[in-house]
Amino acid sequence: MMTVHHLENSRSQRVLWLLEELGLPYRVTRYARDPWTLRAPPELVAVHPLGKAPVITDGATVVAETGAIVAYLTGLASERLVPEHGSEARRRYVYWSHYAEGSAMPPLLLKLVFGRLAPSSPWPLRPLVRRIADTVVRGFVDPDLRRHAAFWETELAGQPYFCGADFTAADILMSFPLEAFAARGTGAGPRVRDWLARIHARPAYQRALQQGGPYAYA
Ligand SMILES: N[C@@H](CCC(=O)N[C@@H](CS)C(=O)NCC(=O)O)C(=O)O
């Protein structure tokens, strides 16, 4: 049976959710973050050299990177939750599957890192570091995030899911950046809030929460 190496409060929640949606058997090994650095514990390096979550092991096969794991798992499930080849929904599926980690996550991560700069600096430097960090966030990161948030609103206009009428695995990939964005209270729009409410109400999402333990974004 495959094992999901799951880090608390992390992207790997999406893999548990997908497995629940697909009804594939799995077991979970949970890892806690370091409370101060928030890094994954060194045990994860024994599973994959980058030491990040998610990673799945399926016999001798090790698959890392959420998008690659989603492709592996939907492949095992006869492409359920993946739109048909050649359709407009499939074109959108490929786009959103890459966008989630490639475009949406970087500004969210920058916001997280710059937010931690001042608190983790030696105290005499803190006011200066805070000013620099705030300048970068206000001048560069926040405008980018506002642009992404407006884009999500436009893309969800007139259709309930990112690829169209049907829920797909691309919605699962999009969940973490949108949850992280909404959790920061940085202005999620009405369509994103509605989409979040609908995905959170899915029974498979709720079952995945039971499997994963602490998750601050639901
Ligand atoms: N693009 C990768 C990102 C993996 C990643 O950064 N995972 C985070 C969890 S949200 C992690 O393991 N962080 C802990 C660390 O870097 O020590 C993916 O989607 O799998």
Side-chain angles (χ1 to χ4, degrees):
M1 190 186 296
M2 81 178 79
T3 300
V4 180
H5 299 270
H6 170 67
L7 181 66
E8 65 183 4
N9 290 315
S10 85
R11 291 161 161 92
S12 52
Q13 189 63 40
R14 293 178 294 190
V15 172
L16 303 177
W17 177 22
L18 177 62
L19 282 160
E20 290 293 336
E21 293 281 356
L22 296 175
L24 294 172
Y26 66 97
R27 63 178 155 237
V28 187
T29 304
R30 290 190 195 172
Y31 301 82
R33 288 180 186 267
D34 178 287
W36 173 242
T37 65
L38 301 181
R39 300 307 301 260
E43 293 81 51
L44 262 175
V45 179
V47 184
H48 185 277
L50 296 183
K52 307 247 178 214
V55 183
I56 62 167
T57 45
D58 189 8
T61 304
V62 180
V63 190
E65 194 63 48
T66 319
I69 295 172
V70 167
Y72 180 81
L73 295 178
T74 51
L76 290 182
S78 314
E79 303 287 299
R80 268 187 49 222
L81 299 182
V82 180
E84 222 176 287
H85 267 291
S87 62
E88 169 62 9
R90 178 63 169 249
R91 187 195 63 73
R92 295 177 67 89
Y93 180 84
V94 172
Y95 175 74
W96 292 114
S97 297
H98 287 275
Y99 167 93
E101 285 294 321
S103 288
M105 283 311 295
L108 288 161
L109 197 59
L110 282 176
K111 183 137 178 140
L112 178 78
V113 169
F114 277 99
R116 289 177 64 82
L117 275 186
S120 52
S121 302
W123 69 262
L125 295 177
R126 263 182 219 167
L128 178 64
V129 173
R130 181 163 290 120
R131 259 183 79 180
I132 295 168
D134 286 353
T135 304
V136 174
V137 168
R138 272 203 301 271
F140 178 73
V141 181
D142 280 347
D144 253 16
L145 283 174
R146 279 196 293 275
R147 192 174 291 185
H148 282 277
F151 179 47
W152 304 331
E153 288 299 304
T154 312
E155 292 295 313
L156 287 171
Q159 59 177 29
Y161 297 107
F162 277 98
C163 299
D166 296 322
F167 173 78
T168 70
D171 292 290
I172 296 181
L173 277 162
M174 286 294 288
S175 64
F176 189 71
L178 270 60
E179 286 175 334
F181 180 80
R184 296 215 167 91
T186 30
R191 292 190 187 111
V192 165
R193 289 201 305 273
D194 176 65
W195 177 85
L196 285 170
R198 282 182 287 111
I199 63 165
H200 290 167
R202 293 179 73 89
Y205 185 99
Q206 293 299 323
R207 289 197 300 277
L209 286 181
Q210 301 294 317
Q211 295 290 332
Y215 187 63
Y217 306 102

